[in-house]
Amino acid sequence: MLAYLARRLAAAAVVVVLVSIIAFGIVSVLPGDTAAALLGEEGARDATRYEALRVELGLDQPIPVRYANWVAGVVTGDLGQSMRTGEDIGPGILARALPTVQLAIMAIIISVVIAIPVGVISAVYYRRLPDNVGTLFALTAIATPGFWFGIMLILLFSVTLRWLPPSGYLPFFSNPIGSLQLMIMPALALATGFTGVLIRQVRSSVLEVLNEDYITTARSKGLSPTTVLFGHALRNALLPVVTLIGLQIGGLFGGAATVETVFSIPGLGRLAVDSIFFRDFTMIQALMLVLALTVLVASLLTDLVYSRIDPRIRRG
């Protein structure tokens, strides 16, 4: 296990270095000028103010120097300061991370609760009515944009029925009920596409396992269909599902950008949108790095869980 973990950590370190180079490179070649965006159209015409602000922001330095300075700060835990607000990026990201993490966790829970029963039923009733309904539901969920579904939820549950508040955020530990009321619609909207993908994966995995020889042997022994399904098939069928959940973490954080904007949630997604709009390059770089680290950690934890379930992975 330790050797396997060491290999995974070494690979993750290489990925982090590559992501840092890509993040800094992409941001550096983006069109637009942060100094001009901060000064506005009138202020940018003042050459003295414009050049002074570029020097203050470090934009006058060569790209390799700016990258080296940025990496040196990141290694020591200093992600820099926002070009737009001047606040320290680390505490700012941490404060915005809590709403996004809550949103992602709720979306994953909703997806798993819906996808596993629907996927299993579709596989058991292969090519029959329940399978057709489940497949239609999955494809519809995949094709439905999360932001559009979120707007429809607001119109139904907030405007028409007046059951839920339309937008906003409350910390979970300060007001659990109010927080859940505010987050249930965004979580449903964020979970839409992931739920459809997960249903298809569960269905495919269960169908594959049900055709294995050991399942045929279990049936020949006279075991009930329920025992065969839940006692023998489902555990092995869910192995690829665990991997899929880990790989979809990045997609959930990406989808959170539009969902958080629709529901006015002060999370990382909305912070990324605002940073791109105002050309806050230091914040964009830090967010890309944090997202990459989040995906790597999720992937590593998924692999460790997978290796515990299937020891053959550790020997690979």
Side-chain angles (χ1 to χ4, degrees):
M1 174 63 78
L2 291 178
Y4 174 76
L5 181 60
R7 291 197 303 269
R8 295 293 290 114
L9 289 175
V14 174
V15 173
V16 170
V17 173
L18 293 176
V19 167
S20 70
I21 295 174
I22 294 172
F24 192 88
I26 290 176
V27 170
S28 298
V29 301
L30 285 176
D33 191 318
T34 301
L38 291 175
L39 290 174
E41 184 177 349
E42 294 296 330
R45 294 176 182 174
D46 188 336
T48 303
R49 290 180 59 195
Y50 175 74
E51 291 299 331
L53 183 58
R54 282 183 58 84
V55 172
E56 180 183 347
L57 297 176
L59 298 177
D60 61 319
Q61 299 176 344
I63 290 179
V65 175
R66 287 159 51 193
Y67 174 73
N69 292 336
W70 179 60
V71 171
V74 170
V75 171
T76 59
D78 181 13
L79 295 176
Q81 292 182 326
S82 169
M83 291 182 174
R84 179 166 64 98
T85 64
E87 67 174 339
D88 290 335
I89 291 177
I93 288 180
L94 183 60
R96 297 293 193 97
L98 296 178
T100 302
V101 169
Q102 181 184 350
L103 179 61
I105 291 175
M106 290 181 64
I108 291 174
I109 293 173
I110 290 171
S111 297
V112 170
V113 169
I114 295 174
I116 291 180
V118 174
V120 171
I121 292 172
S122 294
V124 172
Y125 294 95
Y126 179 58
R127 290 187 176 179
R128 285 180 276 179
L129 180 61
D131 183 25
N132 295 333
V133 173
T135 299
L136 177 63
F137 176 75
L139 295 178
T140 302
I142 293 172
T144 302
F147 70 89
W148 178 86
F149 187 52
I151 294 173
M152 295 301 103
L153 290 174
I154 291 174
L155 291 175
L156 176 61
F157 292 105
S158 298
V159 177
T160 303
L161 300 177
R162 299 182 182 275
W163 288 355
L164 296 171
S167 62
Y169 173 73
L170 287 173
F172 178 79
F173 293 105
S174 65
N175 188 344
I177 302 299
S179 178
L180 291 176
Q181 288 177 337
L182 286 167
M183 294 293 278
I184 185 63
M185 288 195 296
L188 284 169
L190 182 59
T192 304
F194 182 43
T195 301
V197 173
L198 203 58
I199 289 173
R200 300 296 292 168
Q201 180 63 61
V202 172
R203 176 183 179 274
S204 176
S205 299
V206 173
L207 280 174
E208 183 178 355
V209 170
L210 289 177
N211 291 321
E212 294 288 342
D213 291 338
Y214 69 89
I215 297 297
T216 303
T217 301
R219 288 169 175 165
S220 66
K221 291 180 178 179
L223 297 178
S224 67
T226 302
T227 302
V228 172
L229 177 62
F230 293 101
H232 296 273
L234 194 56
R235 177 179 177 180
N236 291 325
L238 292 181
L239 289 175
V241 177
V242 173
T243 302
L244 179 63
I245 293 174
L247 294 176
Q248 287 292 320
I249 296 296
L252 288 176
F253 277 97
T258 55
V259 172
E260 289 177 356
T261 301
V262 170
F263 289 93
S264 300
I265 298 173
L268 292 178
R270 190 175 178 187
L271 177 61
V273 172
D274 292 341
S275 300
I276 293 172
F277 181 78
F278 288 102
R279 298 182 179 89
D280 191 349
F281 292 158
T282 52
M283 183 66 77
I284 296 171
Q285 291 165 184
L287 286 171
M288 291 179 68
L289 186 62
V290 169
L291 177 59
L293 290 173
T294 301
V295 173
L296 285 173
V297 171
S299 177
L300 178 60
L301 292 176
T302 301
D303 287 346
L304 292 177
V305 172
Y306 205 120
S307 66
R308 295 293 298 179
I309 297 174
D310 189 351
R312 293 174 298 177
I313 302 299
R314 297 195 295 270
R315 297 194 291 268

